[in-house]
Amino acid sequence: MEDLPIGSSIYTFATDGCKTPTNAGTYRFVDSQKNSNDFFLIDPYTGRVTTKKLIDRDDFCLRRMCSCSQCAITLEILCVNAGQIYFNDLSIIIDDRNDHAPQFPKSSLTIDVLENVPLGYLIPIDIANDLDYG
């Protein structure tokens, strides 16, 4: 969910090929332009991924950091253990919170409707703008 508090746990690499009963590897993000490392941290010893900043899904969409239909961020992570390197992709889907009220172009609107208008007649009004997805 967008707007999680800073430090919220997103995922922990618990049982992958990088950890063995006698030796735990060290984790880090792969340096890549497609990574969103400005928004996430990874603990090098536990593999725990947490939020580094507040994430605003609507802003991500506007800045084209993710698709507006499904805001998915893929992080490339590697782990080194006893000379072996393991790569992992972590896909994080950011859900939208309904945190923006719809805004109409005018604060009020007067509409004249004839008294003999049939039931169910559609009356056109200006479209509202809502920054939330959907």
Side-chain angles (χ1 to χ4, degrees):
M1 184 64 68
E2 69 174 336
D3 296 329
L4 286 176
I6 294 170
S8 295
S9 183
I10 302 297
Y11 186 81
T12 301
F13 289 93
T15 57
D16 67 357
C18 191
K19 291 183 180 181
T20 63
T22 57
N23 193 10
T26 56
Y27 294 88
R28 71 178 177 88
F29 290 120
V30 175
D31 293 328
S32 167
Q33 287 184 340
K34 79 177 197 175
N35 274 339
S36 297
N37 295 353
D38 290 344
F39 295 92
F40 301 100
L41 293 171
I42 189 164
D43 184 297
Y45 304 107
T46 65
R48 183 173 165 229
V49 179
T50 57
T51 55
K52 183 177 178 181
K53 295 181 181 178
L54 288 178
I55 298 171
D56 183 349
R57 183 192 188 284
D58 308 308
D59 184 54
F60 270 42
C61 176
L62 287 173
R63 295 192 302 158
R64 299 182 188 266
M65 294 177 68
C66 65
S67 165
C68 291
S69 61
Q70 181 182 16
C71 191
I73 304 292
T74 300
L75 301 174
E76 294 175 329
I77 297 161
L78 67 81
C79 182
V80 179
N81 185 346
Q84 297 287 333
I85 298 174
Y86 302 89
F87 287 93
N88 292 289
D89 284 342
L90 176 62
S91 183
I92 300 170
I93 297 172
I94 302 169
D95 290 325
D96 192 25
R97 181 184 314 257
N98 191 8
D99 55 350
H100 295 97
Q103 299 291 315
F104 286 90
K106 299 175 189 168
S107 61
S108 67
L109 183 64
T110 302
I111 300 174
D112 294 321
V113 180
L114 297 175
E115 64 183 63
N116 62 348
V117 169
L119 209 62
Y121 179 79
L122 296 178
I123 301 169
I125 60 172
D126 292 334
I127 295 175
N129 182 28
D130 189 345
L131 295 177
D132 290 310
Y133 175 72

